[in-house]
Amino acid sequence: MKRSLQAQLSLALTAAILVVALGAGGFGFVTAYRDSIRSQDDLLMQVGALLKHSGAALSLEGAGMAAAGDEHDSRVTVQWLPDPGDPPADAAPLPLPADLADGFHTLLLHHEYFRVYVQALPNGKRLALAQETDLRQHIAQRSAWRALWPFVVLAPLLLLAVQRIIKRLFAPLQALRQEIDSRGEDDLQPIAERLLPREVQAFVAAINGLLARVEAGMAAQRRFVADAAHELRTPLTALSLQAERLGQAPMSETARERLTRLETGLQRARQLVTQLLALARAQTPAGAALQPCSLHQVLREVIEELLPLAQCKQIDLGLDGERDACVLTQPQELAQLLRNLIDNAIAYTPAGGAVSLRMERHAQWVALEICDTGPGIAASERERVFQPFYRIDPSGQGSGLGLAIVQSIARRLGLTLRLEAADPAQQSGLRVRLLIPGA
């Protein structure tokens, strides 16, 4: 199972923010609730102190009563407490006992709980200030919920902000991944470190070191193949000349037959060495810059070179249409690519068949199709045939390097290469479709 560092970081921060928000919200709710209760007790004490200082102006009738506040939310009941031993006054709003001590009390009166504050006056009388506990709790809960709302609103906003920040911080890594994914398998240029975070630069530097070692190993391999092929050309040429001279000498039919086989083997070995050199050159980094050229002219030169091979097998080789197109490429390498494709088409097309070329111009591309009437390539084999030395029929002709050279050149020139069946209904023949950048 793949583990995403970005997803893990987002999940961890989300969990941490939710835990902190819940804890802070719960603490704020409880604190605001208690502060509201204490502020209402302070309100009763302040009203009692106010009445204490103005006690001389109060009526001294036995059961005098006053109400502080007209609003239901702030209603406070004020009444005299009877002297000890006196029964509660009938006109009193609450039946408070006379023996209440000074200070705060919570009493059940008329089937409701009241918060009662008893205040002694200088003249010896005592006042009782009462407030319903349900009302006090309702006020306290409203205050507590008002304290909790900022956490409820800001926590989701903070989560969204954290997600955007994480996404922006990981954007360079996403861009780096896309850059590496878009590279070809032979593109081993170092990765730019300048715009990457400092924590990632060391990791990218290690990757660049690995790419440099891989590039050095591939360069050494290409040099070995090129040097080996170059060194083999001279002895193979000498052997071919010796075989040619030997063929001029009188010999028996058996010896002549064996000499013919030897010359055929030498010819195939020389062709293999030539293709190895071509593959080594095609796999080297691009050198010359791309330039505009006539695709029609390149095709004409290649067709003229390979026309004798087609005529020997009575194969109809031609280019459909006379409309030219200008492409941006390297003419010599494009000619080598087309030479390999057309040579393969001629080699695998039976005698009396046809190899046709057709091109179409588009806005930014020129599509070139090479179709033959040969056996074609099965869909399951169309990726493997580009591997060096791979042949569908090991006992057949060819060395298995032609399409490997074609693919290497196509990558160097930025071409798109696809293999399809020339006759989809019968799944026979081969259509090679090339997309070449237009000039």
Side-chain angles (χ1 to χ4, degrees):
M1 182 177 179
K2 297 181 179 179
R3 301 178 61 189
S4 170
L5 182 60
Q6 181 176 353
Q8 292 183 55
L9 182 59
S10 300
L11 183 61
L13 289 178
T14 300
I17 291 173
L18 290 178
V19 169
V20 172
L22 290 175
F27 179 77
F29 184 89
V30 173
T31 302
Y33 184 86
R34 291 178 177 177
D35 289 345
S36 178
I37 294 295
R38 281 195 290 266
S39 66
Q40 294 179 74
D41 287 344
D42 292 340
L43 174 63
L44 294 179
M45 291 179 64
Q46 292 172 5
V47 173
L50 177 62
L51 294 177
K52 178 181 178 181
H53 290 297
S54 59
L58 294 175
S59 174
L60 298 180
E61 296 180 0
M65 181 270 292
D70 296 331
E71 295 293 337
H72 179 74
D73 289 350
S74 59
R75 186 178 60 197
V76 176
T77 301
V78 181
Q79 70 181 61
W80 295 109
L81 276 182
D83 294 331
D86 295 339
D90 295 335
L94 298 175
L96 298 177
D99 56 350
L100 283 179
D102 294 346
F104 285 98
H105 307 274
T106 302
L107 303 176
L108 178 62
L109 306 171
H110 295 317
H111 307 289
E112 292 186 14
Y113 283 96
F114 284 81
R115 184 69 168 171
V116 180
Y117 176 68
V118 178
Q119 173 69 54
L121 299 180
N123 58 10
K125 293 289 186 177
R126 293 194 304 161
L127 285 173
L129 297 91
Q131 191 176 27
E132 297 177 11
T133 55
D134 289 342
L135 175 62
R136 292 162 55 89
Q137 291 175 358
H138 176 68
I139 296 173
Q141 288 175 359
R142 284 198 308 178
S143 300
W145 279 113
R146 282 196 295 267
L148 186 61
W149 268 112
F151 295 97
V152 176
V153 174
L154 293 179
L157 296 178
L158 181 58
L159 291 176
L160 292 176
V162 167
Q163 296 298 327
R164 292 182 62 88
I165 292 172
I166 292 176
K167 186 176 181 180
R168 180 171 296 181
L169 291 177
F170 277 83
L173 297 182
Q174 295 293 337
L176 176 62
R177 180 187 63 80
Q178 294 176 0
E179 177 191 352
I180 295 177
D181 286 344
S182 63
R183 288 190 175 193
E185 59 185 35
D186 55 348
D187 186 1
L188 299 177
Q189 295 297 320
I191 303 171
E193 306 177 20
R194 181 171 55 87
L195 300 179
L196 295 176
R198 184 179 304 171
E199 292 78 6
V200 184
Q201 288 182 356
F203 179 69
V204 174
I207 294 179
N208 287 337
L210 177 61
L211 292 176
R213 293 192 294 272
V214 172
E215 173 65 21
M218 294 182 64
Q221 180 183 3
R222 289 192 294 264
R223 284 195 303 269
F224 173 78
V225 172
D227 294 343
H230 183 75
E231 291 297 327
L232 286 173
R233 294 182 67 179
T234 302
L236 287 176
T237 303
L239 287 174
S240 298
L241 291 175
Q242 294 294 334
E244 184 180 351
R245 291 177 182 176
L246 182 61
Q248 299 173 0
M251 61 183 67
S252 63
E253 290 298 328
T254 303
R256 179 75 59 184
E257 181 181 353
R258 293 179 179 177
L259 178 61
T260 302
R261 294 178 181 175
L262 175 61
E263 289 177 342
T264 302
L266 289 174
Q267 180 63 27
R268 292 185 63 180
R270 292 179 61 184
Q271 183 181 2
L272 174 61
V273 169
T274 302
Q275 288 187 324
L276 283 174
L277 286 173
L279 179 62
R281 286 194 297 268
Q283 290 179 341
T284 56
L290 304 180
Q291 61 185 25
C293 70
S294 169
L295 180 58
H296 210 285
Q297 180 65 28
V298 175
L299 285 172
R300 183 180 295 110
E301 294 176 358
V302 174
I303 290 175
E304 290 176 355
E305 180 182 349
L306 298 177
L307 188 59
L309 295 178
Q311 291 175 345
C312 289
K313 298 181 64 175
Q314 299 180 348
I315 292 176
D316 182 13
L317 173 62
L319 174 63
D320 297 338
E322 298 294 332
R323 192 176 181 183
D324 195 5
C326 188
V327 294
L328 188 63
T329 184
Q330 295 179 8
Q332 295 181 352
E333 294 194 7
L334 180 61
Q336 184 180 3
L337 181 148
L338 296 174
R339 189 179 300 111
N340 279 276
L341 287 177
I342 299 174
D343 182 58
N344 272 3
I346 295 173
Y348 288 97
T349 299
V355 177
S356 61
L357 291 82
R358 186 171 63 91
M359 59 182 180
E360 298 176 353
R361 292 196 302 179
H362 300 276
Q364 298 179 350
W365 299 89
V366 176
L368 175 64
E369 292 184 355
I370 303 174
C371 300
D372 61 56
T373 57
I377 300 176
S380 59
E381 301 284 344
R382 289 173 190 166
E383 292 294 332
R384 302 183 63 187
V385 293
F386 292 109
Q387 300 176 4
F389 299 105
Y390 178 78
R391 292 184 294 176
I392 299 176
D393 183 7
S395 61
Q397 57 182 335
S399 59
L401 290 177
L403 290 180
I405 296 173
V406 167
Q407 188 184 52
S408 297
I409 297 176
R411 288 174 178 168
R412 283 166 55 91
L413 300 181
L415 312 183
T416 302
L417 177 65
R418 290 203 301 266
L419 302 182
E420 304 170 353
D423 186 357
Q426 301 294 330
Q427 287 297 308
S428 62
L430 181 66
R431 175 186 289 111
V432 180
R433 184 174 177 83
L434 275 174
L435 297 181
I436 310 172

